[in-house]
Amino acid sequence: MQACGKNTAVREPVDVAAALARPKIDMHAHVWPMQGEAVSSSHLIACGARLGITEFWCSAPITGGRLAPIEEVRAHNDVILRAMERHPGRIRGMAFLIPGQPGVIEEAERCLGRGMIGFKLYNQYKLHDPVVEPIIKLATERRVPVLVHAAYLPAPEHQRQQPLTSHGADFAVASEKYPDALLIHAHIGGGGDWEWTLRALRDASPNVYVDVSGSNLDAGQVEMAVAELGAKRVLFGTDGTMAGSVGKVLDADLTEEEQDLIFWRNAARLLAEQGLAPLNMPRGDAQCSST
Amino acid sequence: MLVDVNCWLGHWPYRRLRDRTAEELVARLDYLGVTHALVSSIDSILYRNVQPANEDLAEALAPYGDRLFPVATINPNYAGWEDDLDAAAERLGARGVRLIPQYHGYDLDSPAAQRAAAACAERGLPVLVAHRIEDPRQRHHLDPGQTVGFGAAAALLRAVPNLQLIITNARGLFHSDFVRDPGLRDKAWYVDLSLAEVDYQLHRHPADRRDLGRALAYVGPAHLLFGTHLPFSYGAPALVKLETLELSEADRASIRFRTAARLFALPIP
């Protein structure tokens, strides 16, 4: 475990208004296939603007472990492509994929070709299942991140609902198979035992990241992520818990530099892997985007 | 001035909390700009006999008596709870009472809870009920991981009409009786800013983009208090929500401290 942060007793009181003006890349957001999807994406951007969120990485996954047909997967990704067209300076796409599906690699290529910047996997398969390999290999070749729905769910009633949801130990196994893949364990605040999963990630490759999103606002989770993995492997995401996710980083016992790594610099580094730069950076920040 | 109505002090058996002493809690409140806090006992959640926890809490808060105010826990299922309420109000300086039905083994709409709530109302003490203590999806196998239903909370308020009821950590308020039942609109019920998203939340339908924000649009900001659920939860999420809420200055002042000062009879202007 690495040292991080500084003692609360010596910190200046938080200036929330100033903190909201600092840039933030929300790398875990959604636009859903539903009537009113345009209203939904506009609302996402309007709410994010109040919090200093400069861009969103959006996906539209099929949840519940359902093995939906490729046509449905394409329709979900089309929702994101339309959102990218409506908001080209704000929304980037993460292609949702179901491993092993006929046509899945073609769908991945189609989405990358239309400007998406990564892949989103849900809980149809564990991350280390061999059926996932072609997707991870493609992602590694193209240097795009793979964001994976994840949680360690200790209670049997929750495990039964999501038997194939990956957790920290699954990421450690997968990253041993694919050490160069850019893998992101989604939402440490997504409801599982975040202490267990962060400890299990100790053995993962340095290319495994976590994001801080989720409705669980337990104090200490961001600090523990930084202590276990280092501040450069913790990403800012909201997954719909927008104010809560901003607040948890602000209240974490970290330095301002560590907070900025989480808020946007680490995401900027991931973008740089594929030759991209962050969007809408305030003047002065864009020059040091890959620090 | 900023009053946090939803603070706790003590040790939680399933996770090492970040700020476990009154001194650490005060340092955290200083960082967040919170001037006063209502503090409940974490130990009382699992003690069978909660009164020693109330005594410990009052002693721990005493050095900070001008800004930390105790909230005593009452278990209406336990022998002599009336004596605990007397001690809380008359000797320990409690400004409110916590009911913790999901850990003390009763329903919030049970006759026992109604009797306790009525006794609190008679004394002018607000009752605080946590919708949940921790996210049940991470529950330890010894933890029931249960939430308190809004239906039971609404039933309690109907049964004890002069009750001042504060539901902390509430999520999913919009579809509850508190918003849907016009008969409850003007009652003295309150929720805090700790866990619910005001402006944006995960949604699958355009109409569900907001929860607390939409609920407040129906019932008005008079039902809202500033609360964090420290030290279980981070405190700054509530600050961020307060900062981004579109409110009049008068409504903002009510949420920040005026309503809490009135409810808990706090010695602030």
Side-chain angles (χ1 to χ4, degrees), chain A residues 31-103:
Chain A
V31 177
W32 297 105
M34 60 189 175
Q35 277 202 321
E37 66 185 48
V39 176
S40 173
S41 60
S42 299
H43 184 64
L44 178 78
I45 290 165
C47 293
R50 289 195 272 278
L51 301 169
I53 296 176
T54 47
E55 64 175 88
F56 297 89
W57 300 1
C58 292
S59 63
I62 291 166
T63 60
R66 190 162 63 86
L67 294 170
I70 189 73
E71 293 76 16
E72 191 175 341
V73 170
R74 280 195 202 106
H76 276 236
N77 288 328
D78 285 344
V79 169
I80 301 304
L81 290 169
R82 286 194 292 272
M84 291 163 59
E85 285 168 11
R86 283 193 302 274
H87 310 284
R90 294 285 173 183
I91 289 184
R92 301 198 204 244
M94 303 283 280
F96 169 67
L97 302 170
I98 296 180
Q101 207 174 33

Side-chain angles (χ1 to χ4, degrees), chain B residues 13-25:
Chain B
Y14 308 116
R15 172 165 61 94
R16 187 187 192 209
L17 300 176
R18 205 170 50 160
D19 304 310
R20 298 178 300 281
T21 67
E23 185 182 7
E24 289 169 335
L25 181 62

Side-chain angles (χ1 to χ4, degrees), chain A:
Chain A
M1 192 183 281
Q2 303 169 37
C4 71
K6 54 184 177 181
N7 195 314
T8 328
V10 299
R11 295 167 91 184
E12 290 296 314
V14 63
D15 181 342
V16 176
L20 296 187
R22 289 157 65 185
K24 301 166 192 77
I25 295 176
D26 180 355
M27 47 58 65
H28 189 157
H30 298 289
V31 177
W32 297 105
M34 60 189 175
Q35 277 202 321
E37 66 185 48
V39 176
S40 173
S41 60
S42 299
H43 184 64
L44 178 78
I45 290 165
C47 293
R50 289 195 272 278
L51 301 169
I53 296 176
T54 47
E55 64 175 88
F56 297 89
W57 300 1
C58 292
S59 63
I62 291 166
T63 60
R66 190 162 63 86
L67 294 170
I70 189 73
E71 293 76 16
E72 191 175 341
V73 170
R74 280 195 202 106
H76 276 236
N77 288 328
D78 285 344
V79 169
I80 301 304
L81 290 169
R82 286 194 292 272
M84 291 163 59
E85 285 168 11
R86 283 193 302 274
H87 310 284
R90 294 285 173 183
I91 289 184
R92 301 198 204 244
M94 303 283 280
F96 169 67
L97 302 170
I98 296 180
Q101 207 174 33
V104 65
I105 295 301
E106 289 78 4
E107 176 62 6
E109 295 277 15
R110 178 182 83 101
C111 292
L112 292 180
R114 297 277 303 273
M116 291 202 189
I117 60 155
F119 300 147
K120 166 77 180 192
L121 302 179
Y122 213 78
N123 57 4
Q124 279 79 7
Y125 295 95
K126 287 275 191 181
L127 181 58
H128 51 65
D129 191 307
V131 75
V132 187
E133 186 167 322
I135 292 173
I136 297 182
K137 283 194 165 170
L138 177 63
T140 308
E141 284 167 22
R142 305 289 286 271
R143 303 311 294 154
V144 300
V146 183
L147 172 63
V148 186
H149 173 77
Y152 180 73
L153 300 164
E157 67 271 23
H158 300 127
Q159 285 173 5
R160 276 193 296 275
Q161 290 170 1
Q162 303 191 44
L164 295 180
T165 291
S166 297
H167 51 60
D170 298 319
F171 274 74
V173 171
S175 74
E176 197 171 329
K177 291 172 73 177
Y178 318 111
D180 296 327
L182 303 168
L183 304 175
I184 305 172
H185 179 297
H187 44 51
I188 56 168
D193 182 343
W194 47 269
E195 290 180 293
W196 193 100
T197 213
L198 286 170
R199 286 173 62 95
L201 284 171
R202 285 173 181 169
D203 299 327
S205 92
N207 288 320
V208 174
Y209 295 72
V210 297
D211 84 50
V212 302
S213 70
S215 61
N216 182 323
L217 305 181
D218 283 356
Q221 63 186 246
V222 180
E223 293 94 319
M224 183 169 176
V226 169
E228 292 289 354
L229 307 179
K232 289 192 171 182
R233 291 167 61 194
V234 182
L235 298 163
F236 173 73
T238 69
D239 193 19
T241 299
M242 209 176 263
S245 299
V246 173
K248 70 167 72 168
V249 177
L250 291 182
D251 196 12
D253 291 339
L254 302 173
T255 64
E256 198 159 308
E257 291 73 24
E258 288 170 324
Q259 290 180 349
D260 278 342
L261 283 170
I262 296 169
F263 274 143
W264 69 275
R265 288 184 188 277
N266 293 333
R269 212 173 53 249
L270 285 178
L271 288 170
E273 291 268 350
Q274 48 187 303
L276 298 172
L279 304 167
N280 308 303
M281 281 288 121
R283 189 173 295 184
D285 285 323
Q287 277 75 39
C288 48
S289 60
S290 59
T291 303

Side-chain angles (χ1 to χ4, degrees), chain B residues 5 30 38-39 43 48 100 102 105 107 112 121 127 132 134 144-145 157 161 166 169 187 199 234 236 251 255 268-269:
Chain B
V5 303
D30 285 343
L38 282 300
V39 184
D43 297 340
R48 286 186 292 272
I100 313 175
Q102 66 269 55
D107 293 326
V127 168
R132 72 184 194 192
E134 266 205 331
L157 190 55
I166 300 164
N169 312 339
K187 297 291 185 190
D199 209 13
Y234 285 114
D251 286 338
I255 294 165
I268 56 179

